[in-house]
């Protein structure tokens, strides 16, 4: 008998840090209507039918078929079926994070239910100065969308919400657009999978069984992806617009008002691994491809783009929001390139790592601070002053291959990284722990447009005036097909040093202070 254990799998392929003030303080409990419950059970039956030959599924199928109309009309039927009331009583293995998970995820001690409820009421709340970290996580055969609350000033970090995903998450993008009420801001995460469909989840809702809405489902969309969704980008200036790059060699621009594809860009020879809307110009979209090509589209004009070609597959593209005529590109060769869109060749080429650079993030408030993360398992901080990049510091986060890095929108020195170490695959790095970083950049901090959709200010508003047109060709009702065309191209470990204090200990101290 083969008793050899399978190697443990755990990694974070995608993540983002969300700005302060967008999440509800408390999670809402989903209460589906009778008709919604019928639809949920119907879909469950369909899914069971698809996998009826799998071991153990016959019993599940029989139990679902035996559910009566009265059971379906009961809003607690699905919760009862899956024993959701005892969900929190089950032992949960903490996610791999760089902080003390026993203290920060509240698994360090046994307490009475009364103490737990009092502490949860006080501590498990999103405060106005809290940031949110959203991650797509794979743990063995389980795929999760996890939401963490982060406050570096108060030294708080805890798991706030998690949702089971139907497939491996590949791409993740935060957005506030709600097609059911576009006049109000929401708190959503769009997730791209190894499957063609894109699902958008409401992060303010607890125990979600279904996404808030989907893009590219086979039943509803004639124009959709045919392979994995590799990257997603939300248009900050046209809130109903989302772009997706796919392994089917296309980019699709989605209108979330109608949840259908508005147009498809097909002028790629390989899979599209990175897409990014311009932070100020509504019509400008960058796309990076596995054949080394980066294309810039003006979506007001059909069938036109400007192209650059680099050596190796494109991993990430990031606009320089401090200077919107420029962007950064990272490749599988470990290179980072800096490009002026008015020129055919990069301004500089940096041999940043010895392996693919999957993490690429510009500091939120320091235009010269760039952070890169690589499959060589290191993260590096670069000083870009005077267009001459120099290494400031290097760090091994002990999270294995680094797949993604995100900059905190409200702090110039805080970053989150996702990696492939099964026991520790999420790292929150406050670069202030390294004195040389603060000393290097403290005189070069600038207030610019925050991430995730706020309007710009100062010099950035003047730049925005240049691109005042908000009319995009994909706003037409009909679906536009762009044919491939010949376009000339040019070649060209550890833990945080900040002491982490248990949330429970702080709560007890507060109680003692009140008694005194």
């Amino acid at each position: 008998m083969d008793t050899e254990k399978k190697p443990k799998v755990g990694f974070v392929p995608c993540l983002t840090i969300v700005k302060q003030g967008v999440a509800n303080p408390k999670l809402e409990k989903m209460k589906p209507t009778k008709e919604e419950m019928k639809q949920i059970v119907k879909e469950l039956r369909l899914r069971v039918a698809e996998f009826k030959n799998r071991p153990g599924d016959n019993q599940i199928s029989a139990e679902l078929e035996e559910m009566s109309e009265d059971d379906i009309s009961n809003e607690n039927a699905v919760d009862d079926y899956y024993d959701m009331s005892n969900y929190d009583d089950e032992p949960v293995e903490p996610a791999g994070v760089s902080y003390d998970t026993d203290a920060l995820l509240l698994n360090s001690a046994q307490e009475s239910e009364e103490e737990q409820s009092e502490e949860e009421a006080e501590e498990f709340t999103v405060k106005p100065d809290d940031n949110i970290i959203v991650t797509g996580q794979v743990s063995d055969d389980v795929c999760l969308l996890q939401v963490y609350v982060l406050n570096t000033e108060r030294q708080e970090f805890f798991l706030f919400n998690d949702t089971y995903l139907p497939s491996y998450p590949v791409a993740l993008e935060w957005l506030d657009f709600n097609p059911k009420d576009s006049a109000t801001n929401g708190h959503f995460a769009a997730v791209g999978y190894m499957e063609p469909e894109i699902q958008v989840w409401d992060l303010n809702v607890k125990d979600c069984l279904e996404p808030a809405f989907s893009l590219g489902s086979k039943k509803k969309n004639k124009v959709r992806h045919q392979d994995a969704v590799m990257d997603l980008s939300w248009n900050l200036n046209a809130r109903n617009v989302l772009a997706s790059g796919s392994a089917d060699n296309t980019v699709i621009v989605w209108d979330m008002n109608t949840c259908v594809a508005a147009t498809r860009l097909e002028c790629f020879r390989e899979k599209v691994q990175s897409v990014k809307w311009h932070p100020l110009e509504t019509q400008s979209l960058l796309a990076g491809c596995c054949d080394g090509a980066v294309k810039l589209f003006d979506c007001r004009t059909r069938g036109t783009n400007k192209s650059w070609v680099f050596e190796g597959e494109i991993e990430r593209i990031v606009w320089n929001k401090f200077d919107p005529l420029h962007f950064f590109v990272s490749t599988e060769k470990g290179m980072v390139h800096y490009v002026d869109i008015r020129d055919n060749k990069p301004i500089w080429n940096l041999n940043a790592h010895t392996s693919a650079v999957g993490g690429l993030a510009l500091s939120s408030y320091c235009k010269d601070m760039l952070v890169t993360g690589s499959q060589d398992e290191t993260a590096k901080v670069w000083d870009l002053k005077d267009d001459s990049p120099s290494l400031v510091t290097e760090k091994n986060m002990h999270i294995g291959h680094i797949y993604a890095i995100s900059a905190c929108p409200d702090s110039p020195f805080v970053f989150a990284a996702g990696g492939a170490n099964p026991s520790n695959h999420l790292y929150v790095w406050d670069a202030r722990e390294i004195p040389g970083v603060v000393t290097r950049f403290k005189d070069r901090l600038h207030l610019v447009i925050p991430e995730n959709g706020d309007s710009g200010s100062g010099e950035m508003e003047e730049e925005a005036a240049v691109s005042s047109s908000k009319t995009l060709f994909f706003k037409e009702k009909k679906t536009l097909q762009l044919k491939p065309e010949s376009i000339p191209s040019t070649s060209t470990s550890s833990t945080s040093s900040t002491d982490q204090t248990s949330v429970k200990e702080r709560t007890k101290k507060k109680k003692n202070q009140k008694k005194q």
Side-chain angles (χ1 to χ4, degrees), residues 21-167:
V22 299
N24 289 346
K26 291 283 187 179
L27 292 172
E28 302 172 9
K29 178 69 175 178
M30 178 63 73
K31 295 182 179 180
T33 64
K34 179 179 178 179
E35 293 302 318
E36 289 172 335
M37 290 298 300
K38 288 182 179 180
Q39 183 62 29
I40 290 173
V41 172
K42 180 180 178 181
E43 292 182 2
L44 286 173
R45 287 172 175 167
L46 290 174
R47 291 179 184 178
V48 167
E50 292 177 0
F51 300 99
K52 62 182 179 180
N53 294 326
R54 295 178 64 182
D57 279 350
N58 291 333
Q59 180 182 356
I60 298 175
S61 179
E63 292 178 4
L64 279 173
E65 293 296 338
E66 291 174 0
M67 292 181 71
S68 65
E69 289 294 318
D70 292 337
D71 294 329
I72 294 174
S73 63
N74 179 3
E75 66 178 20
N76 295 319
V78 174
D79 282 356
D80 293 341
Y81 177 76
Y82 286 105
D83 195 23
M84 296 301 290
S85 61
N86 295 320
Y87 173 79
D88 291 330
D89 296 334
E90 298 177 1
V92 178
E93 182 178 351
V97 295
S98 63
Y99 288 142
D100 181 351
T101 55
D102 284 341
L104 296 172
L105 300 184
L106 307 186
N107 292 322
S108 59
Q110 295 292 330
E111 298 189 22
S112 68
E113 292 185 0
E114 182 179 356
E115 287 178 326
Q116 277 189 336
S117 61
E118 289 179 2
E119 290 184 6
E120 287 179 1
E122 183 174 355
E123 295 295 340
F124 281 98
T125 302
V126 180
K127 299 177 178 61
D129 60 344
D130 286 338
N131 286 107
I132 300 296
I133 300 180
V134 187
T135 70
Q137 179 176 313
V138 177
S139 181
D140 290 327
D141 293 331
V142 178
C143 301
L144 294 167
L145 181 67
Q146 295 198 311
V147 179
Y148 296 87
V149 173
L150 170 69
N151 192 299
T152 55
E153 301 306 319
R154 291 199 303 269
Q155 301 179 7
E156 291 182 346
F157 181 76
F158 57 89
L159 180 63
F160 186 63
N161 191 18
D162 56 10
T163 301
Y164 286 101
L165 298 176
S167 181

Side-chain angles (χ1 to χ4, degrees), residues 334-385:
M335 298 293 295
V336 176
H337 308 277
Y338 186 50
V339 182
D340 186 327
I341 62 174
R342 298 164 295 188
D343 296 332
N344 293 326
K345 294 184 178 181
I347 296 174
W348 49 255
N349 306 289
L350 174 64
N351 191 357
H353 292 270
T354 59
S355 189
V357 182
L360 187 65
L362 190 66
S363 169
S364 298
Y365 298 125
C366 184
K367 68 177 182 178
D368 295 327
M369 183 178 179
L370 182 72
V371 176
T372 58
S374 171
Q375 290 187 21
D376 66 12
E377 303 188 8
T378 64
K380 296 181 180 181
V381 176
W382 303 90
D383 186 351
L384 309 181
K385 186 177 181 181

Side-chain angles (χ1 to χ4, degrees), residues 233-246:
S233 181
W234 176 46
N235 194 317
L236 303 180
N237 303 290
R239 294 174 56 246
N240 63 305
V241 175
L242 185 75
S244 58
S246 172

Side-chain angles (χ1 to χ4, degrees), residues 172-214:
L172 188 152
E173 178 76 321
W174 182 87
L175 51 94
D176 70 17
F177 180 77
N178 184 357
K180 296 181 180 178
D181 186 6
S182 59
T184 61
N185 293 337
H187 181 36
F188 297 88
V191 182
Y193 302 102
M194 294 299 291
E195 307 298 328
E197 186 175 0
I198 300 165
Q199 294 183 333
V200 183
W201 298 86
D202 190 340
L203 301 181
N204 281 324
V205 176
K206 182 181 181 181
D207 299 332
C208 277
L209 296 174
E210 298 290 331
F213 60 96
S214 298

